[in-house]
Amino acid sequence: MSQEERLLFRLLRDALWHGLEKLPASFSEEETSRLFEIAEKQAVLGLVTDAVIRNNISLPRDKVFEAVGLQEQIKAQSWHVNQGIIALHKTLSAKDIKYAIVKGQIVASYYPSPLLRQSGDIDFYLSHERFKDGLNVIKTEWGVDAEIHGSEKHADFGYDGNLFEAHFVLTDLLSTERNKYFQDLVDRDEGATIVIDGREIRTLSPT
């Protein structure tokens, strides 16, 4: 493990559990560039810039502006993804279509500041029996093309600058019997909720 990678882990621990790490007082331009490069590849750039800014770590002037700009960009993107989730919630709930948001923004809810998570597409689950109904609602209400591609177990589409993936299978195990067992568990799940921008959004129960 390189020195920069060790430092990255220290910054992440501080970002997630404030005050656990004694961090350096300053970073050189080379150190900062390398840290930001690694953090971006691992999709933790928001956490790293948070630790740097919150601890007042001294950076070269241009890197200060870069850190602040990157953090604001990540927050803005996360906010936009949240609005996409809320729009999906409103559209499907209005038609009594049961859904569950999975992956990305659910993980973000465990961050000290959820907007610091680098967001990607919006993944959500629809039961196999309601999958076509859900897609038809989305296609009608949003005017998008949302078709299953080939043998894939999901459909993807774009809306209002966000990318969505609708899944009717969440995992593909080697055993047909285990696949059925897991799928039955998911379909019987009563679900849980997280709060995004003041709205209760449905997800799967913790395992």
Side-chain angles (χ1 to χ4, degrees):
M1 185 182 294
S2 70
Q3 181 178 343
E4 288 87 357
E5 288 169 336
R6 290 190 183 91
L7 184 53
L8 176 69
F9 280 114
R10 291 173 63 191
L11 289 166
L12 291 177
R13 281 193 290 269
D14 181 84
L16 293 170
W17 302 285
H18 298 172
L20 291 185
E21 291 289 329
K22 183 172 176 58
L23 298 171
S26 64
F27 294 149
S28 68
E29 183 158 356
E30 183 178 352
E31 285 176 322
T32 308
S33 295
R34 181 62 178 147
L35 274 171
F36 287 179
E37 179 185 349
I38 298 172
E40 185 171 18
K41 286 181 180 178
Q42 299 301 320
V44 291
L45 190 53
L47 290 174
V48 168
T49 55
D50 172 67
V52 169
I53 293 169
R54 188 168 34 77
N55 287 284
N56 293 316
I57 296 175
S58 179
L59 305 177
R61 183 177 177 82
D62 62 325
K63 292 299 180 183
V64 172
F65 291 120
E66 182 179 353
V68 172
L70 287 169
Q71 187 178 89
E72 291 306 309
Q73 182 181 348
I74 290 166
K75 287 181 178 180
Q77 174 61 21
S78 292
W79 181 87
H80 187 69
V81 168
N82 285 346
Q83 303 318 299
I85 290 174
I86 291 170
L88 183 73
H89 161 76
K90 289 179 178 178
T91 299
L92 294 179
S93 296
K95 301 295 184 180
D96 200 27
I97 302 289
K98 185 179 174 182
Y99 73 92
I101 301 294
V102 296
K103 302 182 183 181
Q105 296 308 90
I106 303 305
V107 175
S109 69
Y110 293 99
Y111 279 45
S113 174
L115 291 181
L116 291 176
R117 185 181 184 276
Q118 284 179 253
S119 301
D121 54 12
I122 297 170
D123 292 273
F124 65 101
Y125 175 78
L126 297 168
S127 68
H128 196 282
E129 63 180 17
R130 298 304 305 274
F131 188 77
K132 288 185 179 178
D133 292 338
L135 282 192
N136 285 336
V137 167
I138 289 167
K139 288 192 286 186
T140 300
E141 298 293 325
W142 290 4
V144 298
D145 176 27
E147 304 292 343
I148 301 173
H149 302 289
S151 62
E152 295 179 9
K153 300 173 178 63
H154 73 273
D156 53 48
F157 56 91
Y159 178 72
D160 193 28
N162 281 310
L163 296 176
F164 293 79
E165 284 194 1
H167 301 261
F168 61 87
V169 173
L170 289 178
T171 188
D172 194 4
L173 304 174
L174 294 177
S175 163
T176 302
E177 182 180 350
R178 290 177 181 176
N179 264 330
K180 184 179 184 307
Y181 173 74
F182 180 80
Q183 195 64 39
D184 287 344
L185 284 179
V186 173
D187 286 340
R188 293 199 309 268
D189 182 42
E190 292 298 321
T193 59
I194 63 168
V195 176
I196 294 180
D197 273 8
R199 297 210 177 239
E200 288 196 349
I201 302 298
R202 191 177 185 281
T203 184
L204 298 176
S205 300
T207 54

